Amino acid sequence: MPEWTFISLDYELLYSDPDRAGTEVFVKSASTFRANSFGKISRASDQRRQRFFEEKLQTIAWHLGSDTIPVFIDFNGDRRRMDKGCIGHALAPPAFLAPPTDGPNGFVTHVTIAQRQQERVTGQQDQKELKSRVLEALKARGTVTVETLMSLLDADEKPVRSAIDRLRSEGQPIWNDEARGFWWRDDMAPKEIPYSRWKRAYVPE
């Protein structure tokens, strides 16, 4: 019998339809499998499901503080095993997972995110944190230049500008005047700034 690793996370279903429960990326099963049982490795035909699986592993890795993730997980009392098919697809180039190995009991107990993928995940997490800090600074300080944001957040120019662009693409009302810098407004553009001087337009929903 496998050992279950408890994680203080609720399992988010991929499908709400109970008839599709068998297609979940973590299944209600305690069955085991060996590392040499994957056979032919191929990319997933259902890319939406595979992306959901990989994003789920990224979230678990972040909570555990490790890129090595248990196959058998107790999600706040909901015991689920990582889907074997999803693991197999994640081994296809460009591999999201490193080749699994059998544990001491003769079956796969953990998988590990491939190093280059882990570096990408860490970068995404850093960008997400910087994006939140940029938004917080803009809301708190009013008009602020990129140079000031760089100093406040101890970040380089490119990541700061990328964070602003991402926030704007998500609908945050971040205005920019080339002479004054950036600021956050959720009502309308400041009337004293000519529209022609704006880098981009924001259209409220």
Side-chain angles (χ1 to χ4, degrees):
M1 290 294 291
E3 293 185 6
W4 299 88
T5 299
F6 177 83
I7 296 180
S8 185
L9 284 174
D10 291 330
Y11 180 75
E12 178 186 358
L13 294 173
L14 172 60
Y15 299 109
S16 57
D17 184 354
D19 292 336
R20 304 194 69 175
T23 62
E24 287 297 328
V25 299
F26 275 79
V27 297
K28 286 184 172 294
S29 172
S31 62
T32 62
F33 48 84
R34 297 178 63 89
N36 62 2
S37 66
F38 285 96
K40 184 179 179 180
I41 302 300
S42 62
R43 290 178 58 81
S45 58
D46 187 345
Q47 285 295 307
R48 173 175 176 262
R49 178 173 180 256
Q50 190 64 21
R51 284 195 302 271
F52 185 82
F53 171 71
E54 293 176 2
E55 289 169 359
K56 181 78 68 178
L57 295 197
Q58 292 171 359
T59 299
I60 295 170
W62 184 84
H63 277 270
L64 293 176
S66 171
D67 57 358
T68 297
I69 306 161
V71 170
F72 301 90
I73 296 182
D74 183 334
F75 294 94
N76 282 331
D78 183 6
R79 290 185 169 184
R80 291 176 175 268
R81 189 207 71 201
M82 203 176 291
D83 180 73
K84 181 184 177 184
C86 287
I87 297 174
H89 293 314
L91 299 174
F96 178 81
L97 295 176
T101 58
D102 291 333
N105 292 326
F107 56 86
V108 178
T109 60
H110 293 75
V111 296
T112 301
I113 296 176
Q115 183 61 37
R116 61 180 176 275
Q117 293 289 347
Q118 185 60 22
E119 291 171 354
R120 181 174 64 85
V121 170
T122 300
Q124 289 174 341
Q125 292 167 350
D126 291 343
Q127 291 170 10
K128 184 177 180 180
E129 179 182 353
L130 178 61
K131 187 175 67 174
S132 298
R133 294 170 64 202
V134 166
L135 181 60
E136 182 180 353
L138 289 172
K139 288 184 176 181
R141 300 180 67 91
T143 304
V144 60
T145 64
V146 169
E147 290 75 16
T148 301
L149 286 171
M150 290 166 58
S151 177
L152 286 171
L153 306 176
D154 190 24
D156 294 332
E157 180 178 0
K158 185 175 180 180
V160 169
R161 290 191 179 277
S162 295
I164 292 172
D165 285 343
R166 287 177 179 273
L167 288 165
R168 293 181 66 113
S169 69
E170 293 171 3
Q172 288 292 340
I174 298 174
W175 297 93
N176 172 239
D177 173 70
E178 293 181 357
R180 298 179 59 196
F182 293 90
W183 67 95
W184 185 87
R185 287 285 295 264
D186 61 353
D187 46 8
M188 62 180 63
K191 295 181 180 179
E192 68 272 15
I193 305 297
Y195 181 85
S196 60
R197 289 173 58 191
W198 298 64
K199 284 186 177 179
R200 296 184 179 90
Y202 169 75
V203 181
E205 293 183 354

